[in-house]
Structures are given as C-alpha cells and as structure tokens.
Amino acid sequence: MNILMLGIFTGNVFDGDEVLAYGFEQLGHTVTKINYRKTAFINLKLLQLCKRYDLLLIGKGESIEPFVLKQIKIPKILWYGDQRDTVQKWVLRRIKYVDLFLHTTAGKRLNEYYTLSKTPSSFFMVPCQPNLYNDSLEYKNDIFFSGSPLSSLGDFVRKDVLLSLSNRDNFKWFGKDPNSVIQGMAYSSEMTASKILVSVNHFNNYLKYSSDRIIHYSAAGFTISYNIPGFRDLFTHIPTFDTVESMQDLIDFYLNNSKEREALKALIIHETRSKYNPKSICRYILDLIIKKRSTMYPQFDYLS
C-alpha cells in the first residue's frame, strides 16, 4: 500500500507521526511523509497528491481544510492525541470528512466525537519503538520526569506531583526550563539510565487517556503512573498512585528494594514493547480502515 502521511514531522524519532510511519514501513508499505505546517499551499496541492496514494493518514491536521478533505476520494484517517476540557470544534469539522478517527481518549469524550461526527472512531495508543532504547546503560538518575513547566492547562494533579517531587534532591526534571529540554536519543538515554520514571498528565481524569509519555517510559524502564481511569485495562504491571503521599511511598520502596524493582521493570518493558509496538498498532489501524473491525486490542474502544 502507498500511504501519504501528513503530520508534524520535525525529525524527532519519538514523535507520534514518526513512529507510526516506521510501523507502516515495517509492515511493508511505502510511506511518504509531509510536514503540513511547513508546506506552502498544502490545501491546493493535496487533491493532486492524493491521486498517487492508496491511503491518507493525518496527524492533528489543523491546517487541512474540511472542504479539501471532503473532495479526497481515497480512504482517510485522522488521529488526534491532545486532550482539552471540551470537544474541539476544529477537530470535529475535519473528522466529519474522514473514514476513521483515532483518539487517545476513550469513554465519554470518544463517544462525543463519534456522536457528533458519525465517523467510525477508535481509542488507540501511539506506539513505542523498541529499537530506540539502549538497555545496557548504567543508572545515573534516581527519579525522572520530562515535560514542560507548570501551567494552568489541565487539572491540579500534575502540579501537585511535580511540586512534591521537586522537594527531593534525587529528582531529575527535564524540560522544566528551555535549557533542559531533551529529545531524540538523548531523551532515550536519560530514560533508560533512570531507576524510576514518573508518569503524570496535564489531564488525569479522562478514561484511558495518557500522553505518549506513558508509552515512552514503560518501554524504557521501571515506571510508576498516576492511576487514570481505565489504566489497568491497558497496563498490567505498572504500579499506580492516587495521591502525592502514595507516590512518595512507592518511590521510597522501589529505590530501597532494587531486586523487586528490577523484576517488575522487566515485566513492564516486555508488556509495552510486545503489546504496543509500531507493527501491531499499525496493523490494528489498517484492520479498522479495511475490515471495519479488529480483534487485536479488545481493550481499545471502537465505535461504528
């Protein structure tokens, strides 16, 4: 299959668009990647471009006009990984004209998009890419988090967690300021060289929603996570916490009990890399667009 992907391709190997492209290539498909934000007159070019392809996959796509999508004849998929307080009208206007909508949130929010658009919609997770990790690195960090500074976006959980962690001398926070942002293989190395990775989102109360941080972390090493709704449907082994106090207790226990931590780490990594790898996730996506069903991920909500 000849696949055209429109996404935010920046060269960062951990970006969702990049990992999905890798997955389709691993399945034997030909992929053309276009950064729609850096392509002049993309809406004028898209109709002609699509005549040479069998499938169009759009990541986010705020610059792609709905009237253009409506005219494209090949199967179209749009995936959206952000979370906001309300249904995003600009997303809704676009998914009305695609054949499949993929979202990293299940439950009520996914149902809202489906009900309003009448477009088949599925929860999914951006996959991990196992070959991006060097498992032989020695530890240099005790506690790891990567993410932007505190903001008013989302709920209070992330703020409370990061403020609490910041009181520990052994906490490493990448991205707290512009000078500490890491990407690509530097990001991978810091994750795999950390004893405990802490996953928490801007939004922590939407069913099964997590940023791709949880996939990156759990493919890299020992991870603990805030207990989002539906989390245990997705991950079997990752310890979860509901409060700052229970998080600190988990951290103290697993820092002081390396044997238990390392045994659980192996289970966590194996589950994420075997279950949520690019080939499997991309095969699931193709099942939905071609067969209109899939048995691969019963834990993924699919509305049609």
Side-chain angles (χ1 to χ4, degrees), residues 61-209:
E62 77 287 344
S63 300
I64 311 303
E65 294 295 338
F67 77 90
V68 175
L69 290 173
K70 186 177 181 179
Q71 298 177 69
I72 295 172
K73 303 303 182 184
I74 61 174
K76 296 156 285 188
I77 303 170
L78 187 146
W79 78 272
Y80 179 59
D82 293 339
Q83 187 57 268
R84 294 296 182 264
D85 287 316
T86 60
V87 165
Q88 297 299 284
K89 292 181 179 179
W90 69 265
V91 174
L92 187 61
R93 286 195 296 269
R94 285 154 180 81
I95 66 174
K96 287 180 178 180
Y97 301 111
V98 302
D99 302 284
L100 177 64
F101 175 54
L102 300 170
H103 193 24
T104 53
T105 306
K108 179 183 176 182
R109 178 51 48 84
L110 183 69
N111 189 66
E112 287 175 319
Y113 278 116
Y114 170 67
T115 301
L116 293 169
S117 69
K118 308 303 181 187
T119 296
S121 303
S122 179
F123 170 80
F124 92 126
M125 301 188 76
V126 177
C128 72
Q129 190 170 325
N131 65 352
L132 295 179
Y133 300 96
N134 180 356
D135 297 328
S136 64
L137 294 180
E138 295 184 358
Y139 290 131
K140 65 176 183 178
N141 307 316
D142 279 349
I143 311 164
F144 173 95
F145 178 82
S146 60
S148 56
L150 298 176
S151 71
S152 58
L153 181 67
D155 54 48
F156 63 89
V157 176
R158 187 173 184 267
K159 179 179 179 181
D160 288 351
V161 163
L162 292 175
L163 287 176
S164 178
L165 288 173
S166 294
N167 291 323
R168 302 184 69 127
D169 293 334
N170 57 351
F171 173 52
K172 195 79 171 183
W173 179 358
F174 291 94
K176 184 177 182 180
D177 57 74
N179 295 326
S180 65
V181 173
I182 51 173
Q183 293 183 334
M185 297 313 294
Y187 173 53
S188 173
S189 295
E190 293 293 344
M191 285 190 288
T192 53
S194 299
K195 294 178 182 177
I196 299 177
L197 301 103
V198 181
S199 178
V200 63
N201 309 309
H202 280 296
F203 294 87
N204 296 277
N205 60 341
Y206 288 89
L207 186 66
K208 298 179 184 176
Y209 169 75

Side-chain angles (χ1 to χ4, degrees), residues 2 26 29 46 56 86 162 215 227 248 256 260:
N2 204 7
Q26 288 294 297
H29 302 289
L46 196 52
L56 173 63
T86 60
L162 292 175
I215 286 287
N227 189 22
Q248 294 286 15
N256 293 320
E260 289 86 347

Side-chain angles (χ1 to χ4, degrees), residues 7 21 44 93 166 214 265 271:
L44 295 177
R93 286 195 296 269
S166 294
I214 188 63
K265 170 185 172 180
E271 179 177 42

